[in-house]
Amino acid sequence: MLLLGATAVARPASAADWVDEWQALAKQTGFAGHAKFAELLAKPEAIKLAQDWEAFRGYSARSIVAQSNIPPDLKPGLEITRETAAKYPWLKDYLPGPSYDRLMSTEWFRWGKIRIVPTTPYALSAKRLAATKKAQESGEAFTVNDKGELIDSKGGFALIDSDAQPFTKPKSGIELYWAFLGHGIANENLEFKPLALDACLPSNKVDRSYKLHLWWQKMHGRVDVAPLGSIKGEDDVIEAGSVIFLEPYDVAGLAASRRRFAAADKPDDFRAFVPSLKRTRILAGSDSQDPMAAGFEATWDEWRQTWMKPDVKNFDFKIVGEKLILAQPETGHAYNPAQSSSNPCEIDVIDLELRPVWVLEVTDKTGNYIYGKRRIYIDKEFWYAQYQEMFDQKGNLWRVIDDARDMIPEKGLWMWRNYVMWNVISTRYNRIEMTADWSILDKPMEGLFDVDVLRDNR
């Protein structure tokens, strides 16, 4: 079905056929979001960036799709509902099973309609590309040691010392996982003001609603956002994230900060201020497996799809396949591809596009982790998870994530737009919407990863 080694054909800037397809889709649907995304993609800088990354990789998502045996009617503009799904027997080959079940559901978390949009070339920044090309041309060779740590040619921690994207052509599961971790947030400063979550009951009614602010920062290998290079004082930290809850009143003021260290044997620095206790707690690794708050399906380990350490003693990492799947497009800078007009606990229309992915399975070897297995569908263009399925220790599917990013096409910088996350065992759904605050690229972030500072200045 799929030719993943396909060689891309260079295109002049005037022949950006994906822009033509988005413009045609916007004309067909009359949807302002489609027109806005087409406008963003049509910028000459966006076209050039997509083409430069395609030339570096030797393929694009579109070249892979073009050389695959795709059903003729699987094309932009196609709309599929519960009533019409039987007309498309190929749908189950491309739409992951948990999503297919939501389309066909007449009960909890119903999807009214899926709409196919063009497969779009996505890119990281031009400076990240230059750094990655320079590393490869100089003979830089990343390796993973017996602890599961990512090491550069000089024996140092790669994500501390290097600004390149590691393992652009991964040969093993652990290399693919590090490519995913190397992608990070595809940015260097991140802020959501706010992140809003509706926790939905099986009856498709909202149980609880939350609002919070969230920050993230890449500490080393910074090439796009000042300060360049490294953040002072974060010598052994790869990245950090923090959050403070604003609503509802019973959790307002709850703050947490977490730092990821490069060393495998150095546990994350994970702290939380609990207003009801009026104290700051140091949290252990087991705490990261708890839901972030009542009604949340996301645990603290689902930050950025997964924050789980690449510990090869406790987990097996294996590439189990390559395929095309239908997943949300990264259209968040123009519109939210998962739209709910009347009931936030259901989706009226969800846009999906064909994406080429590696299928990575991460299996717990200890029997002590919350999940017995994660199945992560990692995009072949930009090394980030398009879709994720989490299984319990008995092998039962438990939770599912399909997110959409907020990406600036001409800059190759990314944040997030939504998490569509549901629990197939409890039949509960979390609708999570993020509003990216791009002004954070021009602001200092000192103190934002100190829970006491967050507590005092919320």
Side-chain angles (χ1 to χ4, degrees):
M1 181 180 76
L2 196 56
L3 299 176
L4 294 180
T7 300
V9 178
R11 305 181 181 92
S14 60
D17 46 1
W18 61 91
V19 176
D20 298 336
E21 290 181 12
W22 273 100
Q23 291 171 340
L25 178 68
K27 185 176 181 180
Q28 175 185 334
T29 64
F31 177 46
H34 292 159
K36 177 63 176 178
F37 195 57
E39 179 185 331
L40 296 175
L41 293 173
K43 294 183 178 182
E45 303 92 335
I47 294 171
K48 183 178 186 302
L49 183 61
Q51 292 174 339
D52 288 348
W53 272 99
E54 179 179 3
F56 168 74
R57 282 187 238 96
Y59 65 86
S60 69
R62 291 180 64 83
S63 71
I64 292 172
V65 170
Q67 296 188 47
S68 303
N69 186 23
I70 303 301
D73 45 0
L74 178 49
K75 57 186 179 182
L78 175 66
E79 297 182 347
I80 305 175
T81 66
R82 182 183 311 110
E83 292 74 22
T84 63
K87 294 171 55 179
Y88 308 103
W90 45 259
L91 183 59
K92 289 184 177 180
D93 295 332
Y94 300 97
L95 186 62
S99 292
Y100 185 87
D101 291 342
R102 304 283 45 84
L103 177 67
M104 302 307 293
S105 175
T106 59
E107 298 177 352
W108 72 282
F109 187 28
R110 296 182 288 260
W111 291 8
K113 176 170 62 180
I114 65 173
R115 180 170 54 197
I116 307 302
V117 300
T119 295
T120 305
Y122 299 122
L124 306 184
S125 76
K127 290 181 179 178
R128 188 69 58 197
L129 173 59
T132 304
K133 291 172 68 174
K134 181 179 179 181
Q136 292 193 6
E137 290 166 358
S138 68
E140 176 65 74
F142 298 110
T143 57
V144 180
N145 65 18
D146 57 6
K147 293 183 178 180
E149 297 165 334
L150 180 63
I151 304 299
D152 61 22
S153 295
K154 297 179 181 179
F157 294 125
L159 295 188
I160 300 292
D161 299 332
S162 176
D163 50 12
Q165 167 66 29
F167 301 128
T168 57
K169 296 182 179 178
K171 298 180 177 63
S172 66
I174 190 62
E175 287 188 0
L176 179 56
Y177 193 70
W178 270 112
F180 166 66
L181 295 182
H183 168 98
I185 56 176
N187 199 342
E188 290 153 2
N189 291 359
L190 177 148
E191 181 175 29
F192 298 137
K193 278 191 170 181
L195 182 154
L197 181 145
D198 289 321
C200 296
L201 298 166
S203 60
N204 295 323
K205 295 181 179 179
V206 175
D207 181 21
R208 287 171 65 83
S209 294
Y210 293 87
K211 284 189 179 179
L212 46 149
H213 286 173
L214 185 148
W215 296 268
W216 209 280
Q217 188 166 47
K218 177 182 172 70
M219 298 304 181
H220 301 277
R222 297 169 60 92
V223 295
D224 289 297
V225 180
L228 302 180
S230 296
I231 299 296
K232 185 177 180 180
E234 302 286 357
D235 296 345
D236 54 353
V237 178
I238 293 174
E239 58 189 338
S242 65
V243 63
I244 185 165
F245 284 73
L246 308 176
E247 298 177 10
Y249 72 93
D250 58 336
V251 294
L254 174 64
S257 177
R258 193 172 178 186
R259 283 174 167 81
R260 181 199 292 274
F261 294 101
D265 53 3
K266 188 170 184 179
D268 291 349
D269 181 63
F270 187 15
R271 300 168 187 260
F273 171 73
V274 184
S276 60
L277 301 177
K278 296 183 179 180
R279 58 175 292 193
T280 296
R281 291 183 55 209
I282 297 176
L283 303 179
S286 58
D287 295 308
S288 69
Q289 301 175 45
D290 293 336
M292 293 175 64
F296 273 64
E297 291 304 325
T299 72
W300 293 101
D301 262 5
E302 268 74 75
W303 281 32
R304 207 195 62 210
Q305 286 266 6
T306 175
W307 181 275
M308 192 187 72
K309 272 184 174 289
D311 186 340
V312 294
K313 298 188 301 298
N314 295 329
F315 299 96
D316 279 328
F317 299 82
K318 185 177 181 181
I319 299 174
V320 297
E322 301 175 353
K323 62 187 300 184
L324 294 176
I325 66 168
L326 286 165
Q328 289 191 81
E330 318 303 344
T331 59
H333 209 61
Y335 73 96
N336 187 345
Q339 301 162 43
S340 302
S341 59
S342 55
N343 185 350
C345 296
E346 299 179 354
I347 288 178
D348 298 328
V349 181
I350 185 166
D351 282 357
L352 302 175
E353 67 169 300
L354 274 176
R355 299 302 306 174
V357 296
W358 292 283
V359 183
L360 174 67
E361 288 193 351
V362 183
T363 305
D364 173 35
K365 296 191 289 187
T366 69
N368 296 322
Y369 189 63
I370 183 173
Y371 301 123
K373 181 173 66 178
R374 292 180 184 269
R375 183 178 295 137
I376 311 174
Y377 298 78
I378 298 180
D379 197 281
K380 290 183 65 68
E381 272 196 336
F382 56 95
W383 307 282
Y384 182 74
Q386 280 289 358
Y387 199 85
Q388 184 176 175
E389 299 160 341
M390 292 89 87
F391 299 79
D392 66 18
Q393 287 289 346
K394 296 180 180 179
N396 301 306
L397 180 64
W398 188 355
R399 293 182 172 121
V400 181
I401 302 173
D402 181 8
D403 69 10
R405 307 288 294 277
D406 178 338
M407 178 268 304
I408 304 178
E410 75 270 22
K411 294 184 177 180
L413 297 179
W414 301 60
M415 292 200 206
W416 270 261
R417 186 62 183 86
N418 77 39
Y419 256 43
V420 176
M421 185 171 187
W422 64 99
N423 183 325
V424 303
I425 295 177
S426 68
T427 62
R428 295 176 65 104
Y429 162 56
N430 283 177
R431 175 179 181 260
I432 308 174
E433 294 197 358
M434 294 86 151
T435 301
D437 185 348
W438 287 94
S439 68
I440 196 65
L441 301 188
D442 301 315
K443 295 178 181 177
M445 298 186 73
E446 288 89 348
L448 289 177
F449 306 103
D450 183 328
V451 292
D452 295 325
V453 172
L454 291 177
R455 174 197 67 194
D456 296 337
N457 295 281
R458 64 180 185 274

